[in-house]
Amino acid sequence: MQSNESVSVSAALPRLIHEAIARAGGWLPFDRFMALALYAPRLGYYANDSRKFGLMPQSGSDFVTAPELSPLFGQALARQVAEALLASGTQAVWEFGAGSGALAEQLLDALGPVVERYVIVDLSGSLRDRQRERLARFGDRVQWADTLPDTLAGVVVGNEVLDAMPVQLLHFDGAAWQERGVVTDGAGFGWADRPTDRVPPGDGPFVPGTVTEVHPQAEAFIATLADRLERGAAFFLDYGFPEAEYYHPQRTGGTLMCHRAHLADPDPLVLVGQKDITAHVNFTGIALAGQDAGLDVLGYTSQANFLFNCGILDLMQGGDLRTNVPVQTLLNEHEMGELFKVIGFARGCDPTFTTSALGFARGDRSHRL
């Protein structure tokens, strides 16, 4: 049986999107559809009150992220954040898309008084409420913001935030690229393509029928962050590939995926507002966006390498079974250890840190970007 919340979303959000399609002349670019499906005030997936994060579907959750699996994830990341705070001479941490607040809690506990201010930037009012409840014991050290300030100094963290930024869809018909958008189809939604000048990066060749994504919003976010970051570092952890793998000719279906009740499906046009919509990250595009905006690329590596470099094995020595067993999911190649990657940026930091940041000491793959 659907909850009243789900019934409300399942009726009101599609109506809102249908109205947006009509105002746009009958065709809505997918990135606009995705933005409404995820972030429409009070109705979008991340803006409504449904539970998102949890270990099992019985909890009513849709997926689990690394901080929910084990507190050792945040404790290991804290070692890299601590090094970056020292190297930049700053005492503030900024987290984007803080979700349940689990990572914030782990970082604050591990870093202690070296963090004077922990600022969360999250568009979801319902998630903010849960974060406030979880982080209440840290008092005024934790603050919330709607947007980036004009300037900032500190360390920026984003775990599974880039994958939730709206993407544009492209379809190759064998002769030319088309932009794929959303149209009204009865009471639901359907796909329709229109001519476009946009093409994916890389030379191909591409197989006719290929559908893939491009990421102008995520890359614009990195460029804006670079513009505002006067001194500090930034670390983003997410699933994705370098450009050559992302746009490999055999990846004909792209990476767009939805998550609900711990199950994945490829159809974002149904159960709109009731499930997550994500796309893998093109880390080459992210690296270039930061580099072109004046940031130093600290490194790029797998999540497993990053956590090993940050001493997660040492941390496991003091852990119990409940915290240590899930670490295997964070590290195993066939789970999160290889699929998830970490990229780091810096500006105005100690030169030694810029060339030898802890998390990228071994296994740096920057040369593959």
Side-chain angles (χ1 to χ4, degrees):
M1 179 180 294
Q2 284 186 308
S3 67
N4 290 336
E5 169 84 26
S6 295
V7 171
S8 174
V9 168
S10 64
L13 183 58
R15 184 166 59 248
L16 176 73
I17 297 175
H18 283 304
E19 292 169 355
I21 292 172
R23 287 195 302 271
W27 183 89
L28 202 63
F30 180 75
D31 57 344
R32 179 60 180 151
F33 172 87
M34 184 173 172
L36 290 171
L38 294 181
Y39 302 111
R42 298 181 301 281
L43 298 175
Y45 178 76
Y46 282 108
N48 65 49
D49 290 333
S50 67
R51 181 170 180 178
K52 281 77 177 170
F53 310 94
L55 292 174
M56 300 293 289
Q58 292 87 339
S59 67
S61 61
D62 293 321
F63 54 87
V64 65
T65 62
E68 279 85 32
L69 283 170
S70 173
L72 299 189
F73 175 81
Q75 292 173 29
L77 178 58
R79 293 183 171 184
Q80 176 64 94
V81 173
E83 182 188 48
L85 288 169
L86 181 63
S88 61
T90 60
Q91 294 180 297
V93 174
W94 291 72
E95 184 182 358
F96 286 83
S100 67
L103 181 57
E105 183 176 42
Q106 292 162 16
L107 290 176
L108 283 161
D109 278 335
L111 293 167
V114 301
V115 177
E116 289 188 349
R117 192 163 60 110
Y118 196 105
V119 185
I120 292 173
V121 182
D122 207 311
L123 299 178
S124 171
S126 62
L127 287 177
R128 281 190 184 200
D129 291 341
R130 296 176 190 183
Q131 293 158 9
R132 284 191 175 94
E133 183 177 351
R134 183 168 195 157
L135 304 173
R137 62 189 175 92
F138 298 104
D140 294 339
R141 289 171 63 202
V142 183
Q143 302 166 19
W144 281 262
D146 294 318
T147 59
L148 274 171
D150 291 338
T151 61
L152 69 91
V155 177
V156 174
V157 174
N159 181 60
E160 291 198 51
V161 64
L162 297 176
D163 68 84
M165 294 187 178
V167 296
Q168 293 179 346
L169 287 185
L170 299 178
H171 172 235
F172 184 59
D173 63 9
W177 286 97
Q178 307 275 324
E179 183 174 0
R180 177 152 290 183
V182 180
V183 296
T184 291
D185 184 5
F189 302 102
W191 297 113
D193 296 345
R194 287 190 174 183
T196 181
D197 293 330
R198 184 178 286 276
V199 298
D203 298 326
F206 293 98
V207 177
T210 293
V211 177
T212 192
E213 310 88 23
V214 289
H215 304 258
Q217 291 200 32
E219 291 166 12
F221 165 75
I222 295 295
T224 300
L225 174 64
D227 183 60
R228 309 289 175 86
L229 184 65
E230 291 187 327
R231 187 175 77 260
F235 301 94
F236 294 97
L237 305 91
D238 226 313
Y239 41 87
F241 312 102
E243 184 178 291
E245 294 180 38
Y246 199 107
Y247 299 105
H248 191 280
Q250 293 181 344
R251 199 180 302 283
T252 57
T255 70
L256 194 71
M257 193 58 62
C258 304
H259 300 91
R260 185 172 189 259
H262 293 258
L263 296 174
D265 77 82
D267 190 353
L269 303 187
V270 300
L271 297 175
V272 179
Q274 300 177 58
K275 58 184 180 179
D276 192 18
I277 306 173
T278 74
H280 285 48
V281 177
N282 170 17
F283 278 101
T284 300
I286 295 300
L288 290 173
Q291 184 174 274
D292 290 348
L295 295 181
D296 297 313
V297 177
L298 294 174
Y300 164 74
T301 192
S302 68
Q303 177 174 284
N305 282 338
F306 183 84
L307 293 176
F308 284 138
N309 288 335
C310 291
I312 197 166
L313 294 182
D314 293 337
L315 293 169
M316 291 177 70
Q317 300 302 313
D320 55 23
L321 281 176
R322 188 168 63 178
T323 58
N324 285 352
V325 169
V327 171
Q328 303 307 315
T329 301
L330 302 177
L331 300 176
N332 283 343
E333 285 192 6
H334 65 281
E335 296 185 272
M336 297 173 72
E338 178 58 35
L339 178 60
F340 279 68
K341 310 298 194 307
V342 187
I343 192 167
F345 298 102
R347 168 177 281 144
C349 293
D350 183 278
T352 302
F353 166 75
T354 302
T355 56
S356 59
L358 173 67
F360 308 102
R362 295 181 180 85
D364 182 24
R365 302 177 184 177
S366 298
H367 60 285
R368 298 188 190 178
L369 289 171

